């Protein structure tokens, strides 16, 4: 089987975790890694058996043996780094959020289509077995019509004004970092809302440390979405229907456990383990799409990333969060 050669761009915390899973995935090889620091690149390459390491991101995208670039830098650099890789004809898996706003996402989509290369946002939630099962239950009508979706993502972060989570220049704030998961769940199940009410608490650095949104949809359904870097919250997802509800257990965005409750009738709890750290499934999807000559995933199409950016833009406008 021909292996897909991955290039890792930006060697921080998530790059390390995802690289473990790239090696577990059935068709991948970490060919090259790139950091701003040569020492870091060399150590990372040794750890993951990469053939090459570079002390600049530019060298990585010039490397002819790299098939797909995984962009794992802070949010504000996703556009620049993903665009650079696309322009060099590389397939791209870019960490979430794909861009800081819908304009950036649209520009990336345009470039990917022009180059006829694969582009996907790293929303691993879509690919874990539990999300697939939850969608199967919903599509089979087991909980009836969806009337409400409720999801939260919160953890108590140590306040560091210079760190990625709080520094506005690095795209800090809870909404784009973790609020994106509740937002994505609502989009996956209900599409874009017709109306949004939202509120937020802001840090001294000018980013949101808490956001809450109430969305209303054309069909009358509602969604309640929350995220925070100020408190440990349950990190659960609930999908309430006319006949029953589904609970996506904590941490819902990569859950391994679901409850299906049919009101006044039955309750079933099932375990759906994922492979590795949970990223193997999204990596398999990228490998399958690339080897199959596809420019986007059917499960997470690029239009979904555009809609998600649109939703996040609308919420940001309401809570006055501008980057
Ligand atoms: N899918 C998930 O489960 C998940 C989880 C966590 C984070 N993420 C996403 O992954 C991205 C990175 O998060 P992370 O937690 O890995 O961050 P991190 O540990 O701070 O790593 C980011 C890396 O980006 C590079 N970088 C380039 N310019 C930088 C700058 N000016 N300041 C800081 N770093 C810079 C650095 O790599 P070099 O020094 O090697 O150049 C750094 O190590 C974020 O966009 C986040 O949303 C996704």
């Amino acid at each position: 089987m021909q292996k897909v050669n991955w290039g890792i761009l930006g060697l921080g915390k998530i790059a390390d975790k995802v690289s473990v899973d790239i090696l577990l995935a059935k068709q991948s090889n970490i060919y090259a890694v790139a950091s701003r620091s040569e020492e870091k690149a060399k150590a990372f390459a040794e750890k993951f058996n990469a053939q090459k390491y570079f002390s600049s991101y530019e060298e990585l995208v010039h490397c002819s043996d790299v098939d797909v670039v995984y962009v794992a830098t802070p949010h504000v650099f996703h556009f620049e780094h993903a665009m650079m890789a696309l322009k060099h004809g590389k397939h791209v898996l870019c960490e979430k959020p794909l861009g800081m706003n819908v304009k950036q996402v649209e520009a990336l989509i345009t470039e990917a289509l022009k180059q006829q290369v694969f582009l996907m946002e790293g929303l691993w939630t879509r690919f874990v077995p539990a999300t697939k099962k939850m969608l199967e239950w919903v599509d089979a009508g087991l909980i009836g019509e969806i009337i409400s979706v409720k999801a939260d993502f919160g953890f108590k972060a140590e306040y560091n004004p210079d760190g990625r989570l709080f520094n506005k220049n690095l795209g800090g704030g809870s909404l784009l970092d973790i609020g994106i998961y509740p937002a994505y769940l609502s989009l996956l199940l209900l599409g874009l809302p017709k109306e949004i009410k939202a509120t937020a608490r802001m840090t001294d650095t000018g980013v949101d440390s808490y956001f809450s949104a109430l969305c209303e949809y054309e069909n009358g359904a509602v969604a309640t979405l929350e995220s925070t870097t100020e408190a440990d919250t349950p990190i659960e997802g609930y999908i309430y229907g006319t006949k029953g509800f589904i609970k996506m257990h904590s941490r819902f965005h990569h859950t391994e456990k679901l409850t299906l409750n049919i009101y006044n009738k039955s309750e079933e709890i099932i375990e759906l383990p994922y492979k590795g750290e949970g990223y193997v499934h999204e990596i398999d999807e990228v490998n399958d799409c690339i080897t199959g000559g596809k420019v986007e995933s059917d499960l997470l199409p690029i239009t979904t990333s555009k809609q998600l950016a649109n939703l996040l833009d609308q919420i940001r406008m309401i809570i006055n969060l501008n980057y």
Side-chain angles (χ1 to χ4, degrees):
M1 186 193 300
Q2 206 199 330
K3 296 246 179 186
V4 174
N5 276 342
W6 286 70
I8 317 294
L9 189 155
L11 308 179
K13 288 193 280 300
I14 193 63
D16 196 280
K17 275 188 160 181
V18 168
S19 293
V20 172
D21 279 6
I22 290 175
L23 294 187
L24 285 179
K26 54 184 191 287
Q27 252 180 300
S28 40
N29 171 44
I30 298 181
Y31 185 80
V33 304
S35 168
R36 296 162 305 166
S37 142
E38 184 169 348
E39 204 183 329
K40 200 169 157 190
K42 185 169 185 276
F44 201 95
E46 277 167 13
K47 180 170 176 186
F48 293 103
N49 246 334
Q51 280 91 326
K52 292 198 172 148
Y53 65 87
F54 302 112
S55 56
S56 80
Y57 302 151
E58 286 79 9
E59 285 173 277
L60 179 80
V61 302
H62 278 105
C63 178
S64 57
D65 289 317
V66 167
D67 299 315
V68 54
V69 171
Y70 169 52
V71 175
T73 47
H75 312 341
V76 282
F77 303 115
H78 291 176
F79 173 72
E80 177 191 337
H81 295 148
M83 186 59 93
M84 185 167 74
L86 293 172
K87 280 189 183 294
H88 285 84
K90 302 299 180 197
H91 304 294
V92 170
L93 171 67
C94 179
E95 263 312 333
K96 32 59 67 174
L98 184 53
M100 292 300 289
N101 52 53
V102 79
K103 270 196 173 161
Q104 289 192 347
V105 171
E106 281 170 350
L108 290 173
I109 293 172
T110 303
E111 188 61 29
L113 292 175
K114 183 175 155 200
Q115 300 283 349
Q116 281 296 291
V117 291
F118 177 83
L119 172 65
M120 195 177 92
E121 185 171 9
L123 283 164
W124 56 319
T125 305
R126 180 62 185 89
F127 307 101
V128 294
T131 302
K132 290 186 174 176
K133 176 57 75 183
M134 176 276 286
L135 289 173
E136 264 172 49
W137 284 345
V138 169
D139 289 346
L142 299 191
I143 61 166
E145 292 295 313
I146 296 176
I147 53 174
S148 159
V149 171
K150 190 167 176 262
D152 71 286
F153 195 149
F155 68 97
K156 174 74 182 160
E158 199 178 316
Y159 184 64
N160 169 9
D162 301 321
R164 185 178 78 66
L165 279 181
F166 296 98
N167 184 340
K168 199 169 185 183
N169 295 328
L170 292 178
S174 88
L175 175 64
L176 292 194
D177 199 60
I178 49 180
I180 192 169
Y181 289 110
Y184 173 62
L185 187 68
S186 72
L187 187 65
L188 183 62
L189 291 159
L190 294 167
L192 281 171
K194 68 166 184 170
E195 207 175 317
I196 305 172
K197 296 184 181 75
T199 189
R201 272 165 66 86
M202 306 304 268
T203 62
D204 293 343
T205 53
V207 301
D208 68 297
S209 56
Y210 177 86
F211 108 89
S212 180
L214 183 61
C215 304
E216 271 182 70
Y217 300 82
E218 287 295 348
N219 67 357
V222 293
T224 316
L225 317 172
E226 278 187 354
S227 70
T228 179
T229 50
E230 288 190 85
D232 290 333
T233 70
I235 318 187
E236 291 170 341
Y238 288 87
I239 302 116
Y240 295 101
T242 47
K243 295 183 188 164
F245 73 82
I246 297 167
K247 173 178 175 180
M248 301 175 78
H249 289 248
S250 191
R251 299 157 48 115
F252 83 89
H253 66 301
H254 61 122
T255 187
E256 296 183 292
K257 192 172 176 181
L258 296 175
T259 295
L260 172 65
N261 181 296
I262 307 301
Y263 303 135
N264 306 316
K265 272 195 190 149
S266 64
E267 184 163 277
E268 184 188 351
I269 300 174
I270 63 164
E271 308 272 350
L272 293 136
Y274 48 65
K275 292 185 198 156
E277 293 283 319
Y279 302 100
V280 174
H281 308 277
E282 90 174 342
I283 294 157
D284 279 342
E285 174 73 3
V286 175
N287 290 338
D288 288 347
C289 288
I290 290 173
T291 52
K294 294 170 76 169
V295 292
E296 65 177 324
S297 159
D298 293 337
L299 300 181
L300 183 57
I302 41 186
T303 48
T304 299
S305 292
K306 188 169 148 182
Q307 288 179 333
L308 183 58
N310 182 320
L311 177 58
L312 296 170
D313 278 6
Q314 289 187 58
I315 296 172
R316 285 198 303 105
M317 206 188 300
I318 300 168
I319 64 176
N320 204 13
L321 175 60
N322 304 300
Y323 293 99

